Amino acid sequence: MFNKELQMPFSAQKTAPAVTFRSGDIVLYRDPEMFWAGKPAHTFVCKVTYAWMSGTCDLRALASGRVISHAQPDYMRLLPPLDAMRDIDTASLHVDGAADAMTAAAMAWLAQQHATANAAPQLPAPRD
């Protein structure tokens, strides 16, 4: 079969989104060798430590500290901050017990924001 628009044979579609990864991004990585070998724990959260011009990335697994060199972007998915912060953004804090359902990280963040918001403004140091 041919693609009528391009007059080229159909090929397998690329499943990876068109994303450019940057140092510091948090991603979900699937180790293809472990996955295809049927080994457990083949998918885990990593931090991009270096993004190469070729499109590959060096990663560090957050839980284990394992280093993955030149990971192919086809096996990576960006974990957006919006998803990590959704429990804070959608929390119904006016309902009794709602804060109990929040994660410890969310509670720590809220406590920090509360302390910062209620602190007296810092004045600059006097000049001579």
Side-chain angles (χ1 to χ4, degrees), residues 27-112:
V27 298
L28 189 65
Y29 174 70
R30 175 164 286 161
D31 185 315
E33 293 177 17
M34 290 175 66
F35 175 79
W36 291 115
K39 296 180 180 177
H42 50 67
T43 304
F44 40 92
V45 177
C46 296
K47 184 173 188 174
V48 176
T49 56
Y50 190 82
W52 295 91
M53 296 284 290
S54 64
T56 63
C57 295
D58 291 348
L59 309 174
R60 182 182 44 81
L62 293 183
S64 68
R66 174 182 168 198
V67 174
I68 299 102
S69 298
H70 293 281
Q72 295 294 320
D74 291 342
Y75 297 99
M76 298 164 47
R77 297 294 183 267
L78 186 62
L79 294 175
L82 180 63
D83 291 344
M85 301 304 285
R86 183 169 285 125
D87 61 336
I88 292 173
D89 295 339
T90 61
S92 300
L93 297 180
H94 65 280
V95 176
D96 287 340
D100 296 338
M102 295 179 71
T103 64
M107 291 301 293
W109 183 85
L110 284 174
Q112 179 183 11

Side-chain angles (χ1 to χ4, degrees), residues 1-36:
M1 273 196 112
F2 284 88
N3 180 325
K4 293 179 183 178
E5 294 174 4
L6 301 176
Q7 294 298 315
M8 298 173 68
F10 283 113
S11 61
Q13 290 184 347
K14 188 171 179 146
T15 59
V19 174
T20 302
F21 297 102
R22 298 178 299 189
S23 292
D25 283 345
I26 303 296
V27 298
L28 189 65
Y29 174 70
R30 175 164 286 161
D31 185 315
E33 293 177 17
M34 290 175 66
F35 175 79
W36 291 115

